[in-house]
């Protein structure tokens, strides 16, 4: 779900969509989630010119700087996508007893992005969340939504299931609304 000026009802829809998508996304093996991020990194690099143009339109940065931002956003996806390939719990032998670490998705994660590095920040927050099997509702800056909305479409294109990554934009009060309801995230 994507909304240009989100109301509380829009945020509720995005959160409900994320909770629904989480139920199946959490069961996708970590290695497969990592492959989705690697595919997204490759596609983002292939579309550097398109995304850099959106970043420059949004932020007012020179095109060469936006091109670097797209590159480092793709780097983030690639690093996290690679790390999660070897993501599993650990077993510690305690002489007959044992302890272990179970790495399990938590649920729906909320993220808030700034105006000055919209695509990079989205990737910094989305990559670890999705790699760990969580769904996300992401509030991009109301001033710079273009690249984040395009990134949401790119994630869908590489196979991230609908509802796993939801973008809402609007006034800063969205953050207050999101945090006011217990159990929302």
């Amino acid at each position: 779900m994507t909304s240009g000026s989100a109301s509380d009802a829009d945020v509720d829809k995005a959160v409900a969509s994320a909770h629904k998508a989480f139920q199946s996304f959490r069961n996708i093996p970590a290695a497969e989630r990592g492959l989705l991020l690697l595919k997204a990194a490759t596609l983002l690099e292939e579309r550097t010119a398109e995304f850099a143009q959106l970043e420059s339109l949004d932020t007012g940065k020179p095109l060469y700087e936006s091109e670097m931002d797209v590159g480092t956003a793709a780097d983030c996806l690639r690093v996290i996508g690679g790390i999660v390939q070897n993501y599993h719990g650990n077993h510690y032998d305690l002489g007959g007893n044992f302890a272990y670490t179970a790495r399990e998705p938590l649920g729906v994660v909320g993220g808030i992005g700034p105006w000055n590095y919209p695509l990079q920040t989205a990737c910094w927050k989305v990559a670890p969340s999705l790699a760990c099997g969580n769904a996300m509702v992401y509030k991009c800056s109301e001033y710079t939504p273009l690249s984040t909305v395009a990134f949401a479409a790119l994630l869908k294109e590489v196979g991230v299931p609908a509802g796993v990554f939801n973008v809402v934009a609007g006034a800063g009060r969205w953050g207050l609304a999101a945090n006011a309801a217990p159990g929302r995230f």
Side-chain angles (χ1 to χ4, degrees), residues 22-73:
F22 170 70
Q23 298 310 315
S24 58
F25 188 67
R26 70 180 302 163
N27 296 318
I28 295 175
E32 287 182 37
R33 296 189 305 260
L35 288 175
L36 291 172
L37 294 174
L38 294 173
K39 287 179 188 177
T42 299
L43 193 53
L44 185 58
E45 283 180 333
E46 289 171 4
R47 296 185 182 166
T48 294
E50 173 189 338
F51 277 87
Q53 183 71 31
L54 292 173
E55 283 286 276
S56 289
L57 285 171
D58 260 354
T59 63
K61 292 180 184 183
L63 195 55
Y64 73 88
E65 188 175 330
S66 293
E67 289 170 348
M68 289 188 295
D69 291 350
V70 174
T72 57

